[in-house]
């Protein structure tokens, strides 16, 4: 199915924002180019998940933080729900959430210095690409992996949203996989 014109335009500006940010070395060029992207985000009726992630990443790039509230990136996958029910894992809700704090955490400089940072494009694509990834449970968190990167999901994460303490199924961090054999260790259970 071909995406609608609006969806196609939105996707193209999202990735052109990252291309422009990555391609420009000078800070002032990054700020002016990403301001264009943020303006388009603010003008849209209801931002897509990709636009929300992009806006957070641009905020982090420009200001070092983002005030955008946590947002849903879709339903918890059926295989995760089945696994949780049959293994006594409590899922806080039926939606999977991302927050600016966690996106900032996975982009921090200490990870960058070690070559462990997942690209902005991978983070933007994650809400859709997760369905094609392998899924594991390590006794505490769920891990999506494509054998190059891994995305950690906490099933019952406590956080503040609008000054209120809530529990969510939440994206925690993303990192490069150092050892592809990691997921053969006994602590990882395959989620099918």
């Amino acid at each position: 199915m071909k995406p609608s014109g609006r969806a196609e335009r939105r996707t193209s500006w999202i990735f052109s924002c990252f291309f422009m940010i990555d391609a420009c070395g000078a800070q002032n060029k990054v700020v002016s180019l990403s301001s264009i992207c943020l303006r388009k985000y603010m003008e849209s009726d209801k931002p897509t998940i990709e636009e929300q992630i992009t806006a957070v990443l641009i905020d982090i790039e420009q200001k070092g933080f983002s005030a955008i509230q946590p947002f849903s990136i879709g339903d918890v996958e059926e295989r995760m729900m089945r696994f949780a029910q049959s293994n006594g894992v409590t899922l806080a809700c039926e939606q999977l959430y991302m927050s600016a704090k966690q996106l900032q955490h996975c982009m921090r400089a200490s990870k960058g210095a070690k070559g462990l940072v997942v690209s902005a494009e991978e983070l933007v694509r994650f809400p859709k690409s997760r369905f094609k990834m392998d899924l594991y449970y390590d006794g505490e968190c769920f891990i999506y992996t494509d054998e190059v990167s891994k995305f950690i999901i906490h099933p019952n994460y406590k956080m503040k949203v609008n000054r209120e303490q809530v529990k969510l199924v939440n994206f925690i961090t993303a990192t490069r996989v150092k050892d592809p054999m990691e997921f053969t260790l006994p602590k990882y259970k395959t989620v099918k």
Side-chain angles (χ1 to χ4, degrees), residues 52-121:
Q52 289 176 303
I53 296 168
T54 302
V56 169
L57 294 173
I58 291 171
D59 273 355
I60 292 167
E61 178 75 28
Q62 286 183 357
K63 303 183 276 187
F65 70 95
S66 178
I68 296 174
Q69 289 293 311
F71 52 91
S72 171
I73 62 169
D75 292 337
V76 170
E77 253 192 282
E78 188 63 37
R79 61 183 168 157
M80 188 185 289
M81 289 172 100
R82 278 193 313 268
F83 181 89
Q85 288 173 345
S86 62
N87 290 279
V89 177
T90 302
L91 293 177
C93 58
E94 294 181 4
Q95 295 284 303
L96 177 55
Y97 285 83
M98 266 190 171
S99 68
K101 179 182 173 186
Q102 302 316 131
L103 285 167
Q104 183 176 5
H105 174 76
C106 70
M107 302 296 280
R108 67 189 190 278
S110 61
K111 273 191 177 185
K114 297 174 188 172
L116 299 175
V117 172
V118 172
S119 74
E121 290 85 358

Side-chain angles (χ1 to χ4, degrees), residues 14-84:
I14 289 168
F15 291 108
S16 66
C17 290
F18 286 121
F19 174 75
M20 290 185 284
I21 289 169
D22 292 340
C24 297
Q27 182 64 25
N28 61 346
K29 287 184 182 175
V30 172
V31 171
S32 62
L33 291 171
S34 56
S35 324
I36 295 166
C37 297
L38 277 177
R39 189 171 46 243
K40 286 184 179 180
Y41 165 78
M42 299 305 279
E43 291 170 355
S44 61
D45 301 340
K46 182 176 186 244
T48 65
I49 295 164
E50 292 86 358
E51 288 170 337
Q52 289 176 303
I53 296 168
T54 302
V56 169
L57 294 173
I58 291 171
D59 273 355
I60 292 167
E61 178 75 28
Q62 286 183 357
K63 303 183 276 187
F65 70 95
S66 178
I68 296 174
Q69 289 293 311
F71 52 91
S72 171
I73 62 169
D75 292 337
V76 170
E77 253 192 282
E78 188 63 37
R79 61 183 168 157
M80 188 185 289
M81 289 172 100
R82 278 193 313 268
F83 181 89

Side-chain angles (χ1 to χ4, degrees), residues 122-138:
E122 288 175 282
L123 289 168
V124 169
R125 288 187 184 121
F126 174 69
K128 291 183 182 167
S129 65
R130 66 188 166 112
F131 297 104
K132 297 176 185 168
M133 294 181 177
D134 293 331
L135 182 60
Y136 297 92
Y137 183 71
D138 69 359

Side-chain angles (χ1 to χ4, degrees), residues 124-184:
V124 169
R125 288 187 184 121
F126 174 69
K128 291 183 182 167
S129 65
R130 66 188 166 112
F131 297 104
K132 297 176 185 168
M133 294 181 177
D134 293 331
L135 182 60
Y136 297 92
Y137 183 71
D138 69 359
E140 186 179 339
C141 293
F142 289 93
I143 299 106
Y144 283 100
T145 185
D146 58 5
E147 296 180 7
V148 175
S149 302
K150 60 183 177 180
F151 301 82
I152 315 300
I153 309 298
H154 195 288
N156 201 10
Y157 191 75
K158 195 184 294 184
M159 66 189 310
K160 278 192 175 180
V161 178
N162 296 325
R163 297 186 185 121
E164 192 175 320
Q165 196 83 332
V166 296
K167 288 186 178 182
L168 302 170
V169 178
N170 197 48
F171 165 86
I172 298 300
T173 194
T175 189
R176 292 278 174 226
V177 173
K178 288 195 270 187
D179 178 11
M181 298 304 292
E182 172 185 1
F183 297 104
T184 62

